[in-house]
Each structure stands twice: as structure tokens, then as C-alpha cells.
Amino acid sequence: VLRHNEGEDAIPDRFIVLGESYRTTREAVTNAVLSSSTRPLEEVVTNTDRSLKHVAPVGLLLSLYREVTMCQAESSQFQPTGAEYLAKLRDFVGRRGLLRPDASRLALQLLGNEQGAALAHVKVSPGQSGMVRSLAALVVHFACVLSQCAPPTSGHPLEVFAALAFKPDTMRKALLPTMPEDDLPAIRNALPESNTHWYECPNGHRYYVANCGSPMQEYQCNVCRVRIGGTSGTLDTANRVASAADQSESGHILGAAHLRSASAVPERDLNPASCALMRILLHMSLVWAASSSDQGKLAALASIIHPALPVGANIGQFFWAHLEYDIQVFGRAVGKGFDDILLSIHCLLGGMTNANVNPSAGLDLRLSSRESRRQWEGGIQRQYFTDFFQSIDGTVNAARQALHNDDRLKKDKLMRAVFEADARPASEGGRHLDPYLWCYRERASVGDLTHRLAPQKEKYRVLFEFLHDEHKLRALQYLPDIVQLQQRLVARFSRRIDRRTAEAYTVKRLLSEFSDLDERAVGAMVTAYNSAWSLVRESLYQHGRLKPPDDCYYGSVSLESPLSCLLPTAEGYGCNPSALVEYLVSAHNGFLEKYYRGIRNVSTSDIHSVLLSDATHAQLISYDGSRHLLPLVLSHCHYTVEPGQGMLVQYDLAALEKHLEQRFIIGRPMVDMAEIRLVFSEDVHNTSQMVALRRRIPQAELPKASQHDILSELRDLPQVCSVISDLEITIGHLIATGGRPDMMLAEYMDNVLKMKSDAKLISQKLSHCCRLENILSVWCLLMVERSKRLAMLREDAFDDVAETFKEELQPEDREDLESWLAALSQHRDTFVAELLEFIVGELNQRNAKRNRDWPDWQLMGAME
């Protein structure tokens, strides 16, 4: 077959699915090309059924593309490039009045193969791959439909896509279809408005206060860890009342195509398959606009992409990559291959051409609000998608049959074999000539089941809700390994490593420090993290409660990645692992809440729970899609295969729902989210850590005599620094677990931390007289001593303090300060300790960025 097919076009004419009108027009264009006369076209146009309102014009455009434009890519075929003949065709499409203005301009572009001036994929050229040529034909088909069926200001629902394709400058502020939106309005509606008030931290992260709505306590922001809330009903001065305005972003906000989720995800009222299909239409519109050489259009397109592309980036390539990705995602969602997906979309576009549509009266087709976008998406789904999905199998089979019956297919033996257009031949020549070997058989899949279930979602609610959330739930299989990895990293590095070291420390180095057995175990945990991250990354950034900042590490973790990418922290790269765990726990609990409360009418308070650190695979909705879920689906699937008819699939939905419920849902507990947080060594000095210690264990000052004895026993600077480091480790554990105030520090270190206090504390006096209630006093004492000794060596004692706080005092200010300190007398040491705690706890580099006005404050006011 391949040998006989050499030198011939192996790309079928998928436009044939438009029916007999297109076939007739195509043959007329072919005859016109061969005769160098427009008479055949004149006859077809004269005899066209006027009831086919847009079919004939669109068919003419596609015929010109197929028979004139595409021929220019094949050196072996006749190429009607003569100026005189092309002039006749241009005159014909311009004077007949059959085409609308936009369609007429498009026809002229197609005749000159000028439709891809800024994007080579859309322009027909020799050597293009079959996939590129097929996708380009799909884009051209949609452009033809939009140019003829949805003129400007017509009120046609497709005018949104037409505006993006032909006049993108009018859509700069549009909330584009299928893009994620701000979840806060929905959350507000779900909470009682009368006693719930919303606020924002200094960095704009929102939180709410229930009950009376007035802040009575101070906390830390879950995202950036700054102070939020207030006391006695008074909001902290750095916080503010949250704006009630919708903060949904306009434009294209999906980022790069390769960073998107590999599976279709639902959005608003769109199910996964509908969302994936609408994104194909969206990106085809944007690809067409980006293929133009009009710099105004390209500037408008660049302005709607968020985050912005690098200077000089090819906008067309950006949208083309999304289109290719959309085709793959949609194929997985409906369980069909590339050829069938293209056929089905061509059929959808044909249906759009034939449809009788009333203008969208009163609907904002510039999509300037979330409500107008929701209404428009719902209208498109009802008008075009519902019937399309209900009959997609029959539509694809009919499209295949149309290809089989196409006379052009007789010239292509490979395509006849692939589409089983001929009777099955005898076995001579070997099995490789059997057309059954070449035929694509669509597979029963989870995506196929999802879109088939949509019309019966009310009858099979458990199955529908499970499949609706399946793109999130499939990542839960990795949660126990991720939690175990974070626990091991926190135990190994918390309060022992600083930020700079963590960013220079690679994952490869981490693995090399374990034994062979542990190295494989930790490596498997890192792989689990990457697998979960790739599955939910897009949804996490768009819908997660904890949203990592834009400058966070966005890719998967490799051997050369910094260790900080895996350390669960509240800022920087560590936001990703923290947000991932929170998102997975929310996915598990959210689905169980829908199942118990929404479907089974059982209160979640009656469901037992398990701590996150104790959760196992058996206690989570944990499964592997290919090893657990797909075999379960296939075991309840019945299908038949007939030559030329494809595969007919049926599911036993009732039995499948029952078995899925028993295997993955029933008996699963809720998970209590206990945040796993690593504290960097420099953060032990943070004021919030000192406050937390005082809450856990009330602190008391160590007697002056004991302080003097301790300092006399620590003879050099390394000894002082060593004791400070061990005290900070101990403080960290006390903040987490607490302890008896009267317990001796040495006893706690020996019996609880197993740290051998004799070697760690060095000073005998410190071992014998310090209790847990004195640990903060000792830490301040040694930090002051460290600062003194560093100053004597002319070294910077506060290298983590921002430079803005290190300006020299003026001579008169220095004199005033010395006089004031002299007057303090016996309280001088207390003031110095408080000042030191304030310096190391508040005046570090991170706080300086969040509190830029601090350098201008008076010292007393700042400490208060």
C-alpha cells in the first residue's frame, strides 16, 4: 500500500463532511482550474439552493483552499499560479455578492496563499507534516465560518470568536471563554453575609472573620505569613477591608501550553469535554489572528496574554502550541484519536454553518463581566455542544462514510485501507496488507465515559461527581509519599539550614547523602511529588486556596533543582509543596463532603477523621488511573466492532457506580489538615517565634549572677555560636511541642531531644541552673555576647539586617543616646536584650521588603 501511494497526497479532504453542496462546489472549482475558466463556478452559483444561507459561500471558500491554495504546496501537481487566471478568480469572488466583506477578503488571501504571513503553520508550503496541514485546514475552516456567519454587530453568538479572529483590539478587556475566574464571589455567596467580613493582608491576600465580623485575635497569613487580624475588634493597621469587586483577570491567563494540565478540567458550567472543545475554538480564533502581518492585531494579542510573553516571542507559535495541546486533551476527554477528533470538529463547524441562530439580544458579546461570560458559554453549549456530544459517535461514523464515498479517496490506496473503504482482501502478500491492521479503533476510556454520562448525571450522581473531580482525585495516590518526604526534610533541615544554603543545595546532593536504600526511597518520593505536581499544577494555580507567587519555581523538580523547591515553607520556592499538600487535602475532603452531605444526606461531623501525618493510601480516595480506575471502567463496558462502522461502546452505569463507590469512597475518613512547615535557621529569630515560645512556656529572666558565670565559662566566639545554634534547635521543638517551665534545660535536651547536653551546652553553670522558663533569657544573653565579640573583631554582627537600618548616627544623636543609656542604670541590660530581639526579629531583609517605611520610624515607636 505504501509503495503504491508514493508521490500522492495522503491527506483526505475532511471538508467532504459538509455534504453534497461542498462536493459539487469543489468539483466546479476543479473544472474551473483545469479549463482556466470561471464558467463552471458561474453555473454552480446560479443553481445554488438559496435556502442554504451560508453553506454555499463557506463551501466556495473551502473549495478554493483545497483546490487552489493547497495545490501550491505540491510540486508534482498542477499549480494554477498564472496571473491572468488568478485575476479571473479574484474578480469572480469579488463581484458575485455571494460573500460577505470579511469572507471576500479571506477568499483573496486564500487565492494568494497569504493567510499565514506571520505564522508558517497556517501558510501552505511544501514539506509540511500531515498533522500541521490538517490543523491548518481546521483553522481555515473555522475562519471561513466566522467570516461568513458572524459579521460584526450581527449579534451572532459566534461573534465573540469572530472578534478575536479579525478584530482582537476590541477584546483587550474581555474575560475570555474557559479562562479561570476569581472564586471569592462564589465563596461570599456560600457564607452568611450578615456576620462575615472580609479583609486583606498587606500583600493583598484575602481572609474573612466570622461570628461578629470584627477581628479579636492576631494570626499569620497562610500565604505570606505576615500579621493579620487584630485585637479587641480593631483591625491591624497594616491590613485593610477587602474589596468586594470581582478580581477575575481578563485576557488569556493559561500560561505556556506545556505547563497546563494533561487532562480536561471543568470550568464554571462547562463539563471537562465542553471546556476542552471550547478552548479549541478559542485558540483557533487566536491562531488565525496571530497569523496576520497586521502589527496592530499582533500588539492587541500581545496585550491579552498574561503573564506577558518575552520580548520577541512568536505570538502565533504560542497559540499554535495551545491548539495542539487542546486537540490532545479533547481526544483524551472523549476517547477518540486524532483523525476522529478532526472529523468531529469539522462536523461541528458544518453544523454551525447550517444552524439557524437568533441574535443574542441583550447579551454582552464583549464579555466584560463574569456573568456575561457565563451566560455566553452556556448559550454556546446549549446551541452547539449538547447535540454534538449526544451524537458524536454517529457523527464520526457518518463522516467516515462520507470519506469512504469520496471519489478522491480512490486515488489514495493507503487512505482506503485505513478507512476500510474496500472489502477485506485475501491474505496473499502477508498480514501487513490487511486493512484491519491499519484501522484505528477508538478505545473505551475514562474520558469517553465522562462525556457519555453527562446527559444522565442526575441519575448517577456519585459517578458523575467522581468523574467531575477525577482530574484532582487521581493525584491523591501520591499524597502519603509527599507528606512522608516533607516530614523527613523538616526533621533533617528545620532550624538547621538557612535560605542561601537551601538554594545552593541540590536535590542530587541530598540523595547522595542517603544510603542506597534510603536514596531509592527518597527518590521515589520526589518522583511522586513531580507526578502530583504535573497533574494538578494548572488547577492549583487557578483554584487553590494557597496560591504560590508568580516568581515561584514552576517546573518539575530535577536532580539539579535547589533543595528549597521541596522544603515546605510559607514563602519563596517552598510555597509550591505547601500549596500542593493543601490542595490535595482539600480535594479529598471536598469530594467526601459532596458525597456525604450533598448525595447521601449525612453530616460530615458524623464521619471520623485522620491526621494528615497518619493518612495512608487505604484511608484516601487513592487509585492509579491505568491500574485501578480504567480496568474497573472496562469491566463494565460492552462494545462491538464492525468493519467500516468503528466501535460501538455501551456502559453498565448502575453497576459501575456501585462498584466505584464500594472500592474508592465508602469508609474513607476526612483528613485533618495539619500544616507541615520548615523553619529556616534565621527565622528562629523572628518575633513571631519568640511570641509563640512565650505562649507555650512563660519565660523568666535568669539571675544576673548566673548570667555572669555562664559568660565566664564560654571563652571564645565559636563556643558562643555553637551554644546559640543548639538553643535555637531546642526553642523550635519547644514551640512545636511545649514543655514544663520548671524542667531543667539539660534534662530536656538529654531525655527528649537526645542531644547530650554536656557536649552541647559546654558551660557547666548553664547545665545546672537553666530551666525551660529561662531559655529565651539565655538566648538573648548569648546573642548580645556574640554581637559584642563580633564588634571587637570588626565584623558585622547583624548580616541579615537590611542595610537601610545601618546608617551611622549623627554625633549629637550619639551623645543623646549615651546619656539616655547612662540614665537607665540597672535596666540597661534589659533594654539591650529587648533591642536585640527587635533587631534580629523584625529588621531582617524579608520584613524590610514588607515594611518599607520602617527606616523613618522613631526607635521607641517601632519597639512599641
Side-chain angles (χ1 to χ4, degrees), residues 494-507:
S494 189
R495 299 178 178 85
R496 291 179 172 88
I497 192 171
D498 58 50
R499 285 177 173 79
R500 292 178 184 176
T501 304
E503 291 177 4
Y505 203 110
T506 64
V507 174

Side-chain angles (χ1 to χ4, degrees), residues 6 24 54 101 109 124 187 192 207 245 259 362 391 433 535 557 692 698 776:
E6 290 178 355
T24 302
H54 299 305
Q109 285 183 317
V124 179
I187 298 174
Y207 62 96
L259 297 177
S391 59
L433 294 182
L535 285 174
V557 175
L776 190 54

Side-chain angles (χ1 to χ4, degrees), residues 386-408:
T386 301
D387 292 340
F388 169 77
F389 282 117
Q390 288 178 351
S391 59
I392 187 170
D393 291 327
T395 298
V396 170
N397 288 335
R400 287 175 181 163
Q401 192 62 45
L403 281 176
H404 299 168
N405 297 333
D406 185 9
D407 293 337
R408 302 289 179 89

